[in-house]
Amino acid sequence: MTLAVNIGNSNAVFGLYANDWQHIWRTPSQPIQAEGFYESTLRFWLLEAGISLDTIQKTAMSSVVPALTPTLRNVLTGLFGDGLVVVGPEVYPALPLTILRPDQIGADLVANALAAFTRYHQSCIVVDFGTALTFTSVTAEGLMAGVAIAPGLRTAIRALFANTAQLPEVPIELPESALGQNTAHAIQAGVLIGYEGLVRHLLAKTRAELGPGTIAIATGGLANAIPALHNEFVAVDESLTLEGIRLVGQLATGN
């Protein structure tokens, strides 16, 4: 079994893989938490699933939260040994990707690109609906051609809540109409329906640059928040980033 860990800005996601994703767990990314919190949480998940520590042979981790990286590194090496692979510039030479600025690109974006390229072997755009809304483009030759970043859906709503005196934080639910009849619906219309246009337009511009035959894949915790966008994607796969992290671990160790 392989344990893949994706430390994002909002959540740390743990996935257990054996021929397929057997279990996926998530907990908020909280750098202030001690190692004991994450260790006990992971032990509880494994115990609840009936999985012993010694059945996990490989571990791989990606992090975009530097303050949390050493905490989870220590937890994983303490539980499973020193074979942990951390997605970063040190392991990129083992990947079938050309990464132009390896010190600047997020490890999660590399994982997304690797998973998509490995699965489809054609030019593609991975749209990750997370804390940030990211568009990662990969050519058919494996070149990471570029990235576009916008605030994520929840981030946009929270920005309105945090920076205005009278606008509330509202749930991420797609309204039936663009004509908001109350404050909550007005925010939902502006953000969710507005983001449908943002995603479609940016995909169209990116496809025009990458060329005919460019496909798009959606991932991230909010990948299903705007169902009208699904016709833009060949797949909506919330575990795509974990799959990329798992592949990095496999390629970096040669097995």
Side-chain angles (χ1 to χ4, degrees):
M1 284 188 175
T2 297
L3 179 67
V5 182
N6 179 27
I7 305 172
N9 288 295
S10 298
N11 293 291
V13 184
F14 298 72
L16 197 61
Y17 183 91
N19 298 318
D20 199 355
W21 293 103
Q22 305 295 320
H23 300 276
I24 295 177
W25 305 287
R26 64 182 62 229
T27 187
S29 299
Q30 298 177 343
I32 61 172
Q33 292 285 6
E35 292 175 15
F37 167 80
Y38 290 100
E39 180 180 343
S40 61
T41 299
L42 182 53
R43 283 183 179 275
F44 172 77
W45 286 333
L46 294 173
L47 179 64
E48 190 177 45
I51 298 165
S52 61
L53 297 179
D54 58 10
T55 62
I56 298 174
Q57 294 88 30
K58 297 179 185 178
T59 53
M61 179 180 79
S62 165
S63 176
V64 296
V65 186
L68 196 49
T69 303
T71 300
L72 267 297
R73 184 197 298 267
N74 290 341
V75 169
L76 294 173
T77 55
L79 290 175
F80 308 110
D82 294 328
L84 174 67
V85 173
V86 178
V87 181
E90 298 79 9
V91 300
Y92 292 163
L95 310 184
L97 297 174
T98 301
I99 304 169
L100 298 178
R101 293 175 176 81
D103 294 321
Q104 297 181 26
I105 194 165
D108 56 338
L109 303 185
V110 174
N112 284 343
L114 178 63
F117 177 73
T118 301
R119 183 179 299 177
Y120 296 104
H121 290 288
Q122 66 185 98
S123 60
C124 55
I125 310 159
V126 181
V127 185
D128 193 331
F129 292 81
T131 305
L133 175 65
T134 60
F135 300 72
T136 303
S137 298
V138 190
T139 69
E141 295 74 34
L143 169 68
M144 292 190 67
V147 177
I149 302 176
L153 294 168
R154 185 171 284 115
T155 302
I157 287 176
R158 286 179 176 168
L160 284 173
F161 170 68
N163 294 289
T164 56
Q166 293 185 303
L167 294 183
E169 186 170 5
V170 301
I172 298 177
E173 297 174 358
L174 189 68
E176 294 182 359
S177 171
L179 304 175
Q181 298 299 304
N182 57 54
T183 302
H185 288 173
I187 294 172
Q188 290 168 333
V191 174
L192 277 85
I193 296 177
Y195 266 55
E196 179 186 342
L198 183 157
V199 173
R200 289 190 191 278
H201 184 67
L202 198 45
L203 283 175
K205 295 284 285 186
T206 305
R207 285 182 171 123
E209 293 192 44
L210 288 179
T214 298
I215 61 173
I217 306 98
T219 190
L222 295 174
N224 287 298
I226 309 176
L229 285 172
H230 287 182
N231 63 358
E232 293 281 352
F233 306 115
V234 297
V236 177
D237 184 353
E238 293 186 17
S239 63
L240 188 76
T241 311
L242 285 177
E243 177 65 11
I245 295 168
R246 182 190 72 82
L247 289 170
V248 172
Q250 177 179 303
L251 292 167
T253 59
N255 54 57

